[in-house]
Amino acid sequence: MNKFIGYGLGLRTVHYQHVLEHRPDVDWFEVHSENFMVAGGKPKYNLHAIREHYPLVLHGVSMSIGSTDPLDFDYLKKLKTLVAEVQPEWISDHFCWTSVGKVNSHDLLPMPYNEEAIQHLVDRISQVQDFMGRQVLFENVSSYLTYKNSEMEEWEFISEIVKRSDCKILLDINNIYVSSRNHGYSPHEFMKHIDPSCVQQFHLAGHEDCGEYVIDTHDHDVPDPVWELYADALKHFGLVSTMIERDDNIPEFVELQAEMNHAKEIAKTVPPQAA
Amino acid sequence: MFNLSELQHEFMNHLLDKKSVIAKNVMEQNGVPVSTRLGIYGNAYKVRLKSSIENDHEILGIYLGDDLFDLMAAGYTASQPSQFTSLRDFCEYLPEYLRKTEPFSATPIIAEIAEFERNLLFAFDAGNAKRSTIEDLTSLPQEQWPTMKLRFHPSMQIHKTHWNSVPSWQALKAEKIPPQQEKLDAYWLIWRNYNRITEFRSLAMDEYVMLNGFLHGGNFADICELLLEYHTEEEVAVNAITHLTSWLEIGIISTFQ
Ligand SMILES: [Fe+2]
């Protein structure tokens, strides 16, 4: 059974003060690992101050686990140091690649869904989990294109990697919605094929609907179609630790808290033994 | 068909606006053209890097204005693809780019403003360390003074300018009109204070010489020797102690050795 730690929010710099002063009723916070891979000063001070009062999970964007460049052990060492400092509930990154030829795109770029990529990811995830001495969560990304050399659906690809590497899934409900619109598949089909015992965390977020396609921007409130999909996800997966991801156009803390509480309310309607 | 490595290199070439055949490996879906799909990634790449420059170089952005800023962002992004794990470091080479690239190089204050902002950022998240106090200094036995060396707080830096870049930065920060570019040979002390806030102030020549001497491993006797160029023999010790005291007050001395 996956550990359930309740409902959380992404911790953003503009909200540090509010969180430290008001100690809002939030079960846990997710922080971006890279923001704290610095030597010292205010970022680390605030992180430790908040950690004194809340559980944390570390979410990274730079592991580049799918890249054909060698694994970046400097990065992994920094991550390991941060893990020792912060003692997070768990750590996560994405099923994607971000850099190649030593150039970093600073974006979560899609993998082709084929056997070569599966084996590549399984090898590297195993190395990372060995190095970190723990299971790592990987998140499904929003994507805007399908490669001609993909041989399977995204959910088959993810399920196979999870089975072979024994990693966990951070399931981003918004990313499923975004990708389903961009590629014309059913988001329910995606979820139906994911083993609930592998899903450790949910992300909820907003996006920009451009009509013909949808862009994952994290700068809007969680929209109705994502709330609906979340309700369906709860029926299939049961209770899963859930957080609201907001990276841009960041509102007052209380607004994010209200969104988080909305997620909590929706979850109350789901029978506990659903999964 | 592409193997994984070829696919990634071709994709990266596309992001970097180099010749790329990645489009051959992208499906036409739902009536959204391949070029639109690849364009989403190409655009996101440029927007993300540009907003990272905006974040870290806010005052430089105001100094340049929108058009020149856009020109700089596009030029720098094209000439210095990120080799860094974190976006925090993306602008590492921006001052150098501005020093060497037209039209920015013609106005040298621009590169100096960028460099000043890099140094402020460095002080912001440099390592933590103990800070010595006046009591620590007074408890040092008299006979150890001549051989005393200093270690500074990791956030402490000396910023050297040839132009009035710092006064211009200050004016813009206060939402005032900056002065015209003019020559200004000056030294600035940058550090993170006890409350973790980045501060800076100008350095008098004798204070700069003294700091620089300690930074290069000199001891108190060596430094007093250097100060003879600025003060009489009787005044040297008093002046040196005045500076030491002020450094202890602002917390830039980590340890005495
Ligand atoms: Fe996400």
Side-chain angles (χ1 to χ4, degrees), chain B residues 65-121:
Chain B
D66 289 350
D67 291 348
L68 273 179
F69 184 84
D70 289 354
L71 185 71
M72 175 192 76
Y76 181 66
T77 303
S79 75
Q80 290 287 346
S82 172
Q83 313 260 335
F84 300 103
T85 310
S86 170
L87 273 175
R88 181 210 170 286
D89 301 318
F90 175 58
C91 295
E92 188 68 24
Y93 306 125
L94 188 61
E96 196 189 332
Y97 171 83
L98 293 169
R99 258 193 300 275
K100 289 184 177 163
T101 315
E102 289 283 355
F104 313 104
S105 54
T107 312
I109 192 173
I110 294 172
E112 276 195 3
I113 292 175
E115 188 165 36
F116 182 60
E117 287 184 316
R118 291 316 295 161
N119 287 342
L120 293 176
L121 180 63

Side-chain angles (χ1 to χ4, degrees), chain B residues 14 23 26 28 32-40:
Chain B
H14 161 69
V26 177
E28 188 89 45
V32 179
V34 168
S35 59
T36 304
R37 292 178 178 278
L38 283 169
I40 294 172

Side-chain angles (χ1 to χ4, degrees), chain B residues 193-213:
Chain B
N193 72 18
Y194 281 96
N195 297 318
R196 288 165 290 273
I197 291 165
T198 306
E199 293 201 57
F200 62 90
R201 68 165 167 82
S202 61
L203 285 169
M205 201 54 199
D206 68 322
E207 190 181 13
Y208 163 72
V209 166
M210 191 173 159
L211 257 182
N212 201 43

Side-chain angles (χ1 to χ4, degrees), chain B:
Chain B
M1 235 351 149
F2 295 80
N3 67 32
L4 187 56
S5 169
E6 287 160 353
L7 178 151
Q8 292 178 345
H9 280 93
E10 288 302 324
F11 201 122
M12 187 59 84
N13 285 342
H14 161 69
L15 296 182
L16 300 176
D17 287 334
K18 292 184 185 167
K19 214 169 145 258
S20 164
V21 292
I22 189 67
K24 281 189 196 161
N25 193 30
V26 177
M27 297 217 319
E28 188 89 45
Q29 277 176 309
N30 301 353
V32 179
V34 168
S35 59
T36 304
R37 292 178 178 278
L38 283 169
I40 294 172
Y41 287 102
N43 184 51
Y45 172 75
K46 294 192 176 79
V47 168
R48 185 170 294 107
L49 293 177
K50 187 178 159 189
S51 82
S52 145
I53 307 176
E54 276 163 356
N55 268 330
D56 290 352
H57 292 280
E58 187 197 348
I59 301 299
L60 175 68
I62 300 170
Y63 190 90
L64 290 174
D66 289 350
D67 291 348
L68 273 179
F69 184 84
D70 289 354
L71 185 71
M72 175 192 76
Y76 181 66
T77 303
S79 75
Q80 290 287 346
S82 172
Q83 313 260 335
F84 300 103
T85 310
S86 170
L87 273 175
R88 181 210 170 286
D89 301 318
F90 175 58
C91 295
E92 188 68 24
Y93 306 125
L94 188 61
E96 196 189 332
Y97 171 83
L98 293 169
R99 258 193 300 275
K100 289 184 177 163
T101 315
E102 289 283 355
F104 313 104
S105 54
T107 312
I109 192 173
I110 294 172
E112 276 195 3
I113 292 175
E115 188 165 36
F116 182 60
E117 287 184 316
R118 291 316 295 161
N119 287 342
L120 293 176
L121 180 63
F122 178 88
F124 172 74
D125 56 17
N128 301 325
K130 167 186 181 300
R131 300 178 196 257
S132 286
T133 61
I134 296 186
E135 289 70 46
D136 295 330
L137 181 67
T138 47
S139 66
L140 199 71
Q142 202 75 42
E143 67 274 14
Q144 285 181 25
W145 272 75
T147 56
M148 173 181 77
K149 293 183 173 187
L150 303 184
R151 276 184 80 162
F152 292 98
H153 192 269
S155 68
M156 193 282 276
Q157 298 155 87
I158 298 173
H159 177 69
K160 187 179 180 195
T161 62
H162 299 293
W163 302 89
N164 55 341
S165 52
V166 176
S168 299
W169 186 95
Q170 284 174 296
L172 289 167
K173 187 76 181 170
E175 296 180 5
K176 294 187 184 128
I177 295 167
Q180 287 289 315
Q181 168 179 290
E182 57 184 46
K183 277 256 173 209
L184 176 66
D185 283 314
Y187 294 98
W188 305 85
L189 175 66
I190 301 176
W191 76 100
R192 189 169 74 229
N193 72 18
Y194 281 96
N195 297 318
R196 288 165 290 273
I197 291 165
T198 306
E199 293 201 57
F200 62 90
R201 68 165 167 82
S202 61
L203 285 169
M205 201 54 199
D206 68 322
E207 190 181 13
Y208 163 72
V209 166
M210 191 173 159
L211 257 182
N212 201 43
F214 276 122
L215 269 175
H216 286 89
N219 62 29
F220 191 70
D222 303 329
I223 275 54
C224 288
E225 195 74 33
L226 291 172
L227 289 180
L228 283 172
E229 203 177 311
Y230 304 91
H231 305 289
T232 63
E233 216 170 319
E234 298 78 55
E235 291 169 346
V236 159
V238 176
N239 276 285
I241 291 169
T242 306
H243 289 318
L244 274 178
T245 310
S246 85
W247 299 347
L248 288 163
E249 278 167 357
I250 62 174
I252 61 168
I253 299 178
S254 183
T255 51
F256 301 102
Q257 289 167 316

Side-chain angles (χ1 to χ4, degrees), chain A residues 139 172 175 203 218 245:
Chain A
E139 173 180 349
D172 188 312
N175 289 351
H203 269 172
H218 294 186
E245 235 187 347

Side-chain angles (χ1 to χ4, degrees), chain A residues 3-39:
Chain A
K3 188 176 179 188
F4 177 71
I5 58 170
Y7 300 85
L9 287 174
L11 188 62
R12 303 294 173 255
T13 317
V14 287
H15 294 147
Y16 288 163
Q17 198 63 24
H18 179 93
V19 172
L20 288 170
E21 269 173 31
H22 301 278
R23 306 265 183 84
D25 185 13
V26 174
D27 295 332
W28 51 279
F29 286 101
E30 182 182 270
V31 300
H32 286 162
S33 316
E34 290 79 6
N35 292 353
F36 302 98
M37 291 181 177
V38 292

